[in-house]
């Protein structure tokens, strides 16, 4: 994004126009809330009677976890997986699991893994397998590219939406 | 007892089951859609698994995902909650096939009570009273007269192919039977091309009264009294109370025994609710719910029994922790269902709860997954909180309820809190003088006029 | 601050213009909330306190306080007094009641009042009496001046800290 | 019954009394200092009166302001709450002189129980057991030996002018009496210039057990069982339970009857609590509180009786709504006092509560005046919330308490929530094996070492 005043001014107009158009959409469709996010801009519009008096706290809205503390003493498999994933700062374009299941990196125990980090792969190539209810579901590459990161271990339980592999 | 229970549900019931598991010292697995990542029960559970997208079919109704989540986490039982898969025999079968315990009734009772015709047959065979009527089609006016005499007036003559109120005529007495019969037939013919009609007792202004039963695997069956659930809109209960303001002790014992005997006759297991219409001292079976009910806390309040704990214990093979003689009913309880919907237009009002404040003090229980900052997702039903109040008498309970409603804050969206504030001060609610038609036919229209 | 004044000023103008425009959009469209974020700016606009009449049902939503609604049907003496005081937009320098009690503007029933608005008074002069537990407590002027406002009626109950008289 | 009650207190007890009044349909007047303008009970009351500056002496202890507020608002009774003027006979007298009802005991009982010596004399005369000992000074070793034999070992020999533990010696048995007597005397002489000593039974590791009694103006007296309040720091109770984990049913009936008989002998009126030390099956009277206790909700939980409602009814001249035979004890209850203080350093932590979330579900009661956005004023005591949990058994109650503590949020300041989270998992709390010395002498020191 350019920082030149001229351009900034254009940007303001663009933003205002975007919001006006979205407001029109709300009017036309009866929507009461719109959230929009893309590479350039993030917008939230609301028509619900959000009229919290000033002393009605927003602090907890800023709080990352307003509910209660986790009572579990030891981290669970999923929490570990999530924490690990978070640690690696997963790119947004990671391939995520389409189901709950167990991830396998090789077609069978002892066999060679499907992919290694650094591999060049073709579109449609099998990256790993998710087993759910005794069914093996191959996860394939949506496009050709290079394997940047493999985010799961062999035999690791994964949840829906959990990042598996990063390809670029 | 189970080591780990997977809770295959969301919202207030998931939290309710979670609390029961924690009270029993059982580890919990919460499953959730991507819309419920921030749900309270997910945060409070020992483990959580995201099972799919917001649409229920892709998550809370996704049997393979639920079973896989249970297998991976090593759960040994699944609680289906209320709604979703709680009365789905296929799900119960799959749970069973995977060597897990389904915390619910025997599968054949889910099947039989899930089918309207079969349910009535089973009910009748188990001694439950049905709405009396002709056994089948009425071929002539004479047959109609005979059937009406047997059934007792007022009677309803209904098109066999009918629906939506068309081809339905009421005869208040013998004088009206001829006119009702012929006009029902001609209306049925005109509307459905079929003038077959049948006849049953007409219930003009019934109340909805249901009986809670609980049965263990050793054959012990106990009833826990009735719940009065007549305050309804579009068949959705809004406010329930226990005991009913109109039943006599004798009627309570009578229908309780009938319900418990029927459950015993069926060989029923776990929690079940027999729903009846009640009019002029008579009960008529409508259906049986083979699961926990949303309004179970009012029964808990007057009996002191934790129904969900009992349900889990029964599923684990343990005997009931009380006998019929141990059950006593103490005081009066009312539950208000608080929905994220406009109090009078009933339009849904999902969004972010900026301020949630629960009422406190003696006799007040709140079952709610709300917290300040929680975003109510638009994907699911609108029940966001249940307020359950217990008092020594009905009047005391109503005073406490009024106090508790005044203390409650859910902001900024409109909710049914305001509807309940009106209800609790309504003369007919205060006197207990209402039927299943009252809210829609009397209370709400009067509200509009004001 | 390393930025040149010129640039900062431009940026300020841009920001103000953006917000002005967005406020106009809210006015025009009935939006009650806008959140906007891009590389340059993050904006949150809210129309606290405005809300559709249809949504006004909840007593506590209209109340200024975040706690619970007042359950009293009719206004109480104190609420009336407070509301009245608030209406008159009391200056900060008002003489306030040092105790709970009943205010009397005259030494006895039927007698002439101690002061009237517009009176010039001396320091130490009795302004009114507060009766508490059958004891008459004279409230005197802390300094000389002119009576601008008398904020209580004869026989009115007053709380601690309630404004009584404005003198300047 | 009263039409309007003025609540001469603040904090959780003011809210508690307010709720009881609302449950009875009585109008309420809240009084408050300028620091409590935003207090929840002020907001919920029908009327409120600001009575003075934050310092208690200028507001909550300001008798003329309280009486004037009552007169102006037309209240016909004053509830003094707990603390402040609740055991002040002058206040009760002034309330009486103004034709208002003081919701509490007869004034002469406030007087007699407020004086240590007089209280023990009244107690003994009413049949309450005191710590046995010599009637007065011990003049010789022989007298000491005789008194010790009568009292029973272990005995404590104490300086008559003593205090702070100096001039105090324990004799565990007859072998030690000679040494203890002479060293106590010489220590007393050195410390106070007076070697007069007396002797009483030494209680090494007693528990604090108190009995709730309630008496009406018709002479009916009922005891509502005991509360175990041994978890104390600097004589401040932190966690209370009912029933006591150690009393047998026989002991419960025994001490209950003694307490009720004593109240009857005194001609007592209203709520009262007799506090005892308990060791090796024996009870020893310490003092009687002639008011509501902070920990009353655990008695309410196991008896189902609303003590504050009963107290107000009694003050209005109504008879008790139950007899001793009607009182049954059901399950187990624990109260956690949550203070705005650091969980282990006990430093006060007033300030603005940005997030308050109360726990919910069955068996959980919260008595708290907190709300999100409330500013805890620094002027008053640090009690900000009471969490009361009820379960079928002690174990069930502890499981529920653990669950409820996990659900509770008070942020951002440290509070004793975290102390209670430790306590509820402590092996000695779980086994019930603790005395009045345990928290300070065992639990807290161990905590520091960790």
């Amino acid at each position: 994004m350019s920082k030149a005043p001229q351009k900034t001014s254009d940007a303001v107009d663009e933003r205002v126009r975007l919001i006006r158009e979205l407001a029109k959409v709300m009017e036309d469709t009866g929507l009461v809330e719109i959230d929009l996010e893309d590479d350039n801009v993030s917008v939230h519009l609301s028509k619900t009677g959000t009229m919290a008096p000033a002393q009605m706290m927003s602090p907890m809205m800023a709080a990352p976890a307003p509910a209660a503390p986790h009572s579990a003493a030891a981290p669970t498999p999923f929490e570990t997986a999530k924490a690990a994933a978070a640690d690696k700062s997963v790119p947004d374009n990671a391939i995520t699991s389409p189901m709950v299941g167990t991830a396998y990196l090789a077609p069978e125990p002892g066999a060679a893994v499907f992919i290694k980090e650094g591999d060049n792969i073709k579109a449609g190539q099998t990256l790993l397998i998710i087993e759910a209810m005794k069914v093996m579901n191959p996860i394939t590459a949506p496009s050709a590219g290079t394997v940047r990161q493999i985010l799961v271990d062999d035999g690791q339980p994964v949840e829906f939406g959990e990042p598996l592999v990063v390809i670029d | 007892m189970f080591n780990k229970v997977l809770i295959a549900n969301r919202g207030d019931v998931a939290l309710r089951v979670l609390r029961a598991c924690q009270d029993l010292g059982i580890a919990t697995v919460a499953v959730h859609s991507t819309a419920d990542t921030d749900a309270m029960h997910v945060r409070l559970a020992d483990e959580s698994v995201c099972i799919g997208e917001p649409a229920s079919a892709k998550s809370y109704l996704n049997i393979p995902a639920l079973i896989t989540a249970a297998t991976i986490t090593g759960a040994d039982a699944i609680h289906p909650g209320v709604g979703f898969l709680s009365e789905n025999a296929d799900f119960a079968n799959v749970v069973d096939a995977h060597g897990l315990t389904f915390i619910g009734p025997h599968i054949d009772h889910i099947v039989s009570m899930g089918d309207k015709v079969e349910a009535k047959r089973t009910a009748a065979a188990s001694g439950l009273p049905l709405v009396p009527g002709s056994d089948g089609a009425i071929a002539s006016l004479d047959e109609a007269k005979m059937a009406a005499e047997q059934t007792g007036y007022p009677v309803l003559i209904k098109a066999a192919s009918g629906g939506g109120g068309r081809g339905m005529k009421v005869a208040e007495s013998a004088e009206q039977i001829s006119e009702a019969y012929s006009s029902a037939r001609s209306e049925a013919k005109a509307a459905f091309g079929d003038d077959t009609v049948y006849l049953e007792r007409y219930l003009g202004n019934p109340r909805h009264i249901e009986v809670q039963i609980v049965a263990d695997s050793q054959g012990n069956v106990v009833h826990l009294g009735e719940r009065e659930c007549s305050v309804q809109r579009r068949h959705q209960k809004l406010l329930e109370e226990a005991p009913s303001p109109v039943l006599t002790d004798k009627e309570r014992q009578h229908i309780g025994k009938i319900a418990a005997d029927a459950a015993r006759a069926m060989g029923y297991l776990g929690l079940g609710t027999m729903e009846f219409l009640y009019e002029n001292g008579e009960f008529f079976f409508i259906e049986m719910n083979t699961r926990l009910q949303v309004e179970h806390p009012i029964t808990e309040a007057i009996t002191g029994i934790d129904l969900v704990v009992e349900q889990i214990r029964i599923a684990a093979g343990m005997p009931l922790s009380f006998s019929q003689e141990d059950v006593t009913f103490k005081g009066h309880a009312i539950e208000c269902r608080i929905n994220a919907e406009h109090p009078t237009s009933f339009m849904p009002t999902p969004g972010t709860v900026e301020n949630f404040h629960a009422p406190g003090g003696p006799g007040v229980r709140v079952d709610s997954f709300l917290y300040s900052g929680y975003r109510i997702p638009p994907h699911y039903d609108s029940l966001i909180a249940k307020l359950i109040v217990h008092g020594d008498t009905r009047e005391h309970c109503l005073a406490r309820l009024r106090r508790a409603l005044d203390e409650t804050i859910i902001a900024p969206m409109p909710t049914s809190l305001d509807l309940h504030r009106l209800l609790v001060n309504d003369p007919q609610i205060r006197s207990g003088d209402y039927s299943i038609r009252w809210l829609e036919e009397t209370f709400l229209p009067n509200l509009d006029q004001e």
Side-chain angles (χ1 to χ4, degrees), chain A, chain B:
Chain A
M1 277 224 133
S2 167
K3 309 249 174 190
Q6 181 61 46
K7 283 245 169 152
T8 310
S9 184
D10 281 348
V12 168
D13 291 343
E14 277 303 310
R15 295 300 175 251
V16 171
R17 196 166 72 81
L18 172 67
I19 286 167
R20 261 190 201 284
E21 290 295 329
L22 291 177
K24 224 181 284 172
V25 171
M26 291 171 93
E27 191 62 39
D28 295 343
T29 58
L31 287 174
V32 294
E33 239 180 280
I34 293 181
D35 285 303
L36 170 74
E37 197 168 346
D38 66 18
D39 291 355
N40 293 323
V41 68
S42 161
V43 179
H44 166 80
L45 300 181
S46 170
K47 266 195 169 181
T48 46
T50 324
M51 49 140 321
Q55 65 267 49
M56 259 179 354
M57 65 303 125
S58 41
M60 78 218 44
M61 306 185 65
H70 250 266
S71 52
T76 68
F78 286 100
E79 283 172 337
T80 312
K82 281 179 213 168
D87 282 352
K88 289 183 194 167
S89 61
V90 179
D92 288 344
N93 63 343
I95 294 165
T96 59
S97 179
M99 68 190 73
V100 184
T102 306
Y104 292 108
L105 302 183
E108 57 193 68
V113 296
F114 291 111
I115 52 167
K116 294 191 299 291
E117 293 187 1
D119 282 1
N120 289 316
I121 52 160
K122 293 176 293 187
Q125 185 176 331
T126 296
L127 305 174
L128 44 76
I129 281 170
I130 307 285
E131 183 205 331
M133 294 190 76
K134 322 248 184 252
V135 177
M136 301 295 169
N137 304 279
I139 307 299
T140 58
S143 58
T146 305
V147 177
R148 287 291 164 218
Q149 274 184 295
I150 299 171
L151 300 161
V152 290
D153 298 323
D154 193 51
Q156 178 183 314
V158 294
E159 349 177 52
F160 175 85
E162 189 164 334
L164 303 172
V165 176
V166 180
I167 291 172
D168 57 12
Chain B
M1 185 45 76
F2 308 115
N3 291 311
K4 194 186 275 189
V5 167
L6 181 135
I7 303 163
N9 215 300
R10 65 174 302 283
D12 77 286
V13 73
L15 186 60
R16 176 68 190 89
V17 173
L18 177 104
R19 284 169 170 159
C21 288
Q22 292 182 334
D23 289 357
L24 283 164
I26 301 171
T28 50
V29 180
V31 295
H32 63 91
S33 74
T34 52
D36 278 337
T37 305
D38 289 333
M40 189 189 286
H41 82 280
V42 174
R43 291 169 177 226
L44 291 170
D46 295 314
E47 294 172 64
S48 71
V49 182
C50 180
I51 51 166
E53 295 174 30
S56 300
K58 303 221 170 162
S59 47
Y60 299 107
L61 297 173
N62 182 344
I63 295 178
L66 291 165
I67 299 292
T68 306
T71 312
I72 284 175
T73 54
D76 44 12
I78 295 185
H79 196 301
V82 175
F84 290 130
L85 297 169
S86 62
E87 289 174 295
N88 182 310
D90 288 345
F91 179 56
N93 260 318
V94 176
V95 171
D96 195 48
H98 279 77
L100 307 171
T101 302
F102 179 81
I103 300 177
H106 295 306
I107 293 168
D108 52 341
H109 291 131
I110 301 180
V111 173
S112 62
M113 289 301 157
D115 178 284
K116 270 196 168 232
V117 175
E118 181 58 26
K120 293 217 169 174
R121 190 158 51 206
T122 307
S126 309
L128 295 169
L130 305 184
V131 177
S134 60
D135 274 334
I138 302 273
S140 68
L141 178 59
D142 279 350
E143 268 188 50
K145 283 179 177 166
M146 262 170 54
E149 287 305 327
Q150 278 182 329
T151 300
Y153 285 95
V155 295
L156 184 69
I157 302 177
K158 280 166 108 170
S161 323
R166 284 184 301 174
M168 284 172 65
K169 291 291 159 189
V170 175
E172 296 284 352
S173 63
E175 284 87 66
Q176 297 175 353
I177 187 77
S178 165
E179 162 65 17
Y181 177 69
S182 58
S183 75
R185 281 189 66 172
S186 51
E187 219 175 84
K189 180 79 177 176
F192 313 110
D194 173 11
D195 65 358
T196 313
V197 294
Y198 65 101
L199 175 151
E200 63 179 34
R201 174 84 63 81
Y202 174 66
L203 302 175
N205 212 22
R207 303 175 76 110
H208 175 119
I209 288 176
E210 61 188 33
V211 177
Q212 177 71 55
I213 63 101
V214 54
D216 66 20
S217 55
Q218 280 81 44
N220 302 304
V221 183
V222 170
H223 78 85
L224 298 175
E226 85 282 9
R227 292 184 290 259
E228 160 89 53
C229 312
S230 300
V231 180
Q232 298 184 356
R233 178 180 170 270
R234 296 190 183 169
H235 302 291
Q236 294 295 309
K237 298 161 187 166
L238 271 168
L239 177 152
E240 303 100 348
E241 52 184 320
S244 163
V246 295
L247 284 207
T248 63
D249 267 350
K250 204 176 153 192
E251 287 174 316
R252 176 168 302 115
Q253 295 308 324
H254 168 71
I255 194 64
K257 185 173 185 310
I258 284 179
D261 287 348
R264 201 174 288 111
M266 287 179 214
Y268 192 78
L269 178 74
L271 297 183
T273 299
M274 320 247 184
E275 299 192 329
F276 300 92
L277 292 178
Y278 170 85
E279 193 168 58
N280 298 325
E282 285 184 280
F283 293 91
F284 307 103
F285 175 80
I286 324 171
E287 63 175 21
M288 178 172 183
N289 292 323
T290 57
R291 53 160 170 82
L292 186 68
Q293 300 271 96
V294 173
E295 59 272 24
H296 74 276
I298 53 176
T299 299
E300 297 184 323
I302 63 164
T303 62
I305 293 166
D306 187 318
L307 284 177
V308 185
V309 162
E310 208 61 39
Q311 183 187 31
I312 295 170
R313 286 168 45 93
I314 289 168
M318 296 167 76
L320 277 179
S321 58
F322 48 83
S323 68
Q324 189 69 61
E325 291 69 43
D326 298 329
V327 177
T328 52
F329 303 113
K330 192 164 179 183
H332 195 92
I334 297 179
E335 172 181 276
C336 291
R337 297 195 192 191
I338 300 168
N339 298 322
E341 62 187 23
H342 190 279
T344 54
S345 75
F346 299 96
M347 287 285 289
T349 55
T352 299
V353 177
E354 291 176 6
N355 194 359
F356 172 61
H357 185 85
V364 174
R365 166 178 167 187
V366 178
D367 277 25
S368 176
F369 53 94
L370 294 186
Y371 54 84
S372 295
Y374 174 68
R375 193 158 185 280
I376 302 169
H379 311 283
Y380 310 106
D381 78 61
S382 61
L383 182 67
I384 51 172
K386 299 191 298 196
L387 171 59
I388 304 101
V389 171
H390 186 221
D392 293 339
T393 61
R394 189 168 186 271
E395 193 185 4
H396 184 220
C397 181
L398 280 166
R400 275 196 170 156
L401 180 55
R402 221 164 285 134
R403 178 253 286 177
L405 285 166
D406 275 352
E407 289 183 20
T408 310
I409 301 174
I410 301 171
M413 65 275 293
T415 69
S416 32
L417 258 183
D418 278 327
L419 178 64
H420 287 295
R421 289 182 180 130
L422 294 172
L423 281 174
V424 80
N425 286 308
D426 183 272
Q428 281 186 263
I429 290 287
R430 296 178 76 160
S431 66
D433 174 25
Y434 57 81
S435 76
I436 58 167
R437 307 203 202 282
W438 174 77
L439 189 84
E440 287 181 302
E441 296 182 6
T442 305
F443 178 80
L444 292 175
N446 284 347
L447 213 58
D448 290 342
Q449 285 171 5
E450 277 163 17

